[in-house]
Amino acid sequence: MALHQGASDSAEQEPELRRLSINPFYGSADPVTEMTSAPPKHRLPDGPMPPPTAYQLVHDELMLDGNSRLNLATFVTTWMEPQAADLMAECRDKNMIDKDEYPRTAELERRCVAMLADLWHAPDPSASVGCSTTGSSEACMLAGMALKRRWAKKNGDRYPGTARPNLVMGVNVQVCWDKFCNFWEVEPRLVPMEGDRFHIDPQAAAELCDENTIGVVAVLGSTFDGSYEPVADVCAALDALQERTGFDIPVHVDGASGAMIAPFLDEDLVWDFRLPRVSSINTSGHKYGLVYPGVGWALWRSPEELPEELVFRVNYLGGDMPTFALNFSRPGAQVVAQYYTFLRLGRDGYRAVQQTARDIATGLAGRIEELDGFRLLTRGDQLPVFAFTTAPEVKSFDVFDVSRRLREKGWLVPAYTFPANREDLSVLRVVCRNGFSADLAALLLDDLRLLLPELHAQSGPLHKDPAAATSFHH
């Protein structure tokens, strides 16, 4: 089936429906004669319409979307200050790729890279290389490309003839890594979940590595349950592997969320460029970087980690500006908003915002644990994210019933099944972001309490189709 396939429009075949589909007041001047029928939805209208009318038609349909502030499924930022929104509006017409035409926007991007290199303890922040992207998915693709190209250069006598590259990671990685392996013809080697371990096992990851391994991905903040993967332990296991076999395998840290949490709340946790084996790191500026979508960041420890042939260069203020991206044209607004947020908050401000999100997450998780019928898997004490499931004794409802009933109240709380080897486990996940206040958390808890008697009164779970219980990959 085609992606985003158009549908038939019954209103187009029914003149009376088309006439009644539009409010006469939408006519800019004369409500009697100016708006006589709704425009077609799946072909271009024959002629133009006034701007207020076009706006109102689109605005009305979008009212049926969920409220983004009540969306506890997404990690993406749903609130920013008006000043940030104003800056983004001022820069939405600037093409980020035109660095010589918009040199100050390019300079703000460069400063953001330097700030992140310093935040993540690069050996020499001034020498680290990096770039903005449309999000962590593109950043991961770029990091994966660099890993593969470095491996290919080292194995030029075997690749592409006989050697097939592979990438080792936990089965919990975000779907962008599956895409990378598919698009760039890399074999994914996945460490499954086992028991109460819901992310990568360092020793199991090392055992999957061989001479064709381009790298190991460690996730600082799994989307499945909000837990940090043990990056330092992964590096230690690979150090031991190198001592035994000579295989020198780099680590990429997918810090889509955690790379903007750990530096402020877990300063003693060693996960970044302080570990010599960590070659590159990505993060999502539009997640806990606190910027509207979409912006991500990819950084490498030093120029040696990013093969020169992957970098294109443009003239910038009479000098040399390297660029490395899959996308070409995109607005500079999000990069400007990221720089604004870095300036606005600083380290102390980020620490305060992220600590508030974590406190709300741990507090809400604790209160949900006290309710009759739920069991926590994680508590929100790493990412401000926690997962929970129904208690073993509950037979009258499941997590999909809870998710559906909460949606009736306006809350978007995802329910999904874990991957191999825990397909037996289905959970609910709550993402606490800036803007999800303690008051909103209390309202969610109140609605959950109100629903529980009705759920307990069911004869059994209403969810019957196992195929519908799919993993959630935000």
Side-chain angles (χ1 to χ4, degrees):
M1 185 178 72
L3 293 177
H4 306 295
Q5 188 172 25
S8 62
D9 191 346
S10 59
E12 292 187 29
Q13 281 72 48
E14 299 286 345
E16 183 66 5
L17 285 178
R18 289 191 64 196
R19 183 182 70 81
L20 298 175
S21 292
I22 194 161
N23 188 331
F25 275 100
Y26 288 179
S28 59
D30 185 350
V32 176
T33 62
E34 287 202 358
M35 299 305 300
T36 58
S37 66
K41 295 179 180 176
H42 300 108
R43 62 178 177 83
L44 282 173
D46 294 332
M49 66 176 62
T53 303
Y55 167 82
Q56 195 67 48
L57 289 173
V58 178
H59 172 82
D60 286 357
E61 187 161 351
L62 289 176
M63 289 194 300
L64 295 174
D65 272 348
N67 185 328
S68 64
R69 293 282 298 280
L70 301 183
N71 183 359
L72 303 182
T74 184
F75 285 79
V76 170
T77 295
T78 55
W79 183 88
M80 290 189 77
E81 292 174 310
Q83 291 85 352
D86 289 344
L87 276 174
M88 294 182 75
E90 293 168 11
C91 298
R92 61 192 169 197
D93 59 340
K94 295 182 180 180
N95 189 353
M96 192 68 230
I97 204 66
D98 292 337
K99 298 183 186 299
D100 51 345
E101 285 88 352
Y102 306 114
R104 301 322 303 170
T105 304
E107 170 63 13
L108 298 190
E109 179 188 30
R110 189 193 65 79
R111 292 179 194 174
C112 287
V113 168
M115 289 177 178
L116 289 171
D118 178 67
L119 185 68
W120 296 339
H121 299 97
D124 181 0
S126 64
S128 297
V129 293
C131 60
S132 67
T133 63
T134 54
S136 269
S137 292
E138 183 187 3
C140 290
M141 299 281 178
L142 299 180
M145 288 167 59
L147 290 175
K148 182 180 178 183
R149 184 61 62 93
R150 287 170 57 200
W151 172 87
K153 290 175 69 174
K154 288 181 179 179
N155 294 274
D157 57 332
R158 299 187 305 115
Y159 177 78
T162 59
R164 185 187 180 196
N166 66 74
L167 181 66
V168 174
M169 48 197 167
V171 72
N172 57 298
V173 292
Q174 215 266 355
V175 70
C176 67
W177 288 107
D178 298 321
K179 291 181 180 179
F180 165 75
C181 290
N182 188 339
F183 297 165
W184 274 273
E185 298 182 324
V186 173
E187 175 196 355
R189 293 188 175 178
L190 303 178
V191 178
M193 296 180 177
E194 295 290 349
D196 292 332
R197 177 181 56 76
F198 303 125
H199 53 226
I200 202 169
D201 174 73
Q203 191 54 44
E207 291 171 1
L208 289 175
C209 296
D210 59 23
E211 68 275 13
N212 294 326
T213 301
I214 65 173
V216 174
V217 176
V219 181
L220 196 72
S222 172
T223 58
F224 278 89
D225 65 352
S227 62
Y228 293 161
E229 291 194 329
V231 182
D233 292 344
V234 170
C235 290
L238 294 176
D239 289 343
L241 177 69
Q242 184 176 7
E243 290 181 8
R244 296 194 309 270
T245 65
F247 302 150
D248 184 10
I249 297 172
V251 169
H252 172 78
V253 177
D254 183 348
S257 294
M260 294 305 295
I261 295 288
F264 307 109
L265 304 187
D266 308 294
E267 296 181 71
D268 294 333
L269 180 68
V270 179
W271 61 273
D272 52 16
F273 289 127
R274 286 170 288 182
L275 297 167
R277 197 166 290 277
V278 171
S279 171
S280 51
I281 301 171
N282 72 274
T283 197
S284 287
H286 62 228
K287 293 180 180 175
Y288 288 101
L290 307 180
V291 174
Y292 286 140
V295 61
W297 301 93
L299 270 71
W300 288 263
R301 168 186 293 275
S302 68
E304 287 71 34
E305 270 76 19
L306 179 59
E308 176 64 25
E309 63 268 23
L310 294 178
V311 180
F312 293 82
R313 299 186 176 278
V314 297
N315 182 272
Y316 167 59
L317 294 179
D320 189 47
M321 168 62 76
T323 178
F324 180 34
L326 296 178
N327 268 325
F328 200 69
S329 295
R330 58 187 172 91
Q334 286 79 5
V335 168
V336 171
Q338 184 74 86
Y339 184 69
Y340 164 85
T341 307
F342 284 167
L343 284 185
R344 169 75 173 90
L345 293 178
R347 288 179 181 254
D348 289 344
Y350 262 98
R351 186 174 298 109
V353 170
Q354 313 299 38
Q355 186 65 58
T356 297
R358 180 180 282 180
D359 290 345
I360 291 171
T362 55
L364 180 58
R367 290 190 290 275
I368 288 176
E369 186 178 31
E370 296 170 357
L371 298 178
D372 178 26
F374 297 115
R375 175 174 68 88
L376 290 181
L377 276 69
T378 48
R379 298 179 173 275
D381 54 354
Q382 293 183 333
L383 289 189
V385 175
F386 63 93
F388 61 104
T389 188
T390 51
E393 67 274 9
V394 171
K395 307 299 181 186
S396 57
F397 65 91
D398 61 16
V399 294
F400 302 98
D401 291 331
V402 178
S403 178
R404 183 178 61 255
R405 294 301 306 275
L406 285 174
R407 184 179 286 265
E408 295 172 3
K409 301 284 189 178
W411 301 103
L412 305 178
V413 180
Y416 52 94
T417 301
F418 273 21
N421 291 330
R422 289 306 313 267
E423 295 98 329
D424 60 306
L425 180 59
S426 298
V427 306
L428 295 147
R429 188 196 66 201
V430 173
V431 178
C432 297
R433 305 179 306 279
N434 183 40
F436 181 66
S437 64
D439 287 343
L440 286 174
L443 292 173
L444 172 65
L445 192 69
D446 288 343
D447 284 338
L448 196 53
R449 285 197 185 103
L450 288 172
L451 293 176
L452 275 175
E454 298 176 23
L455 292 170
H456 280 296
Q458 293 180 178
S459 59
L462 301 182
H463 182 81
K464 301 297 183 184
D465 181 12
T470 57
S471 296
F472 191 83
H473 285 287
H474 245 296

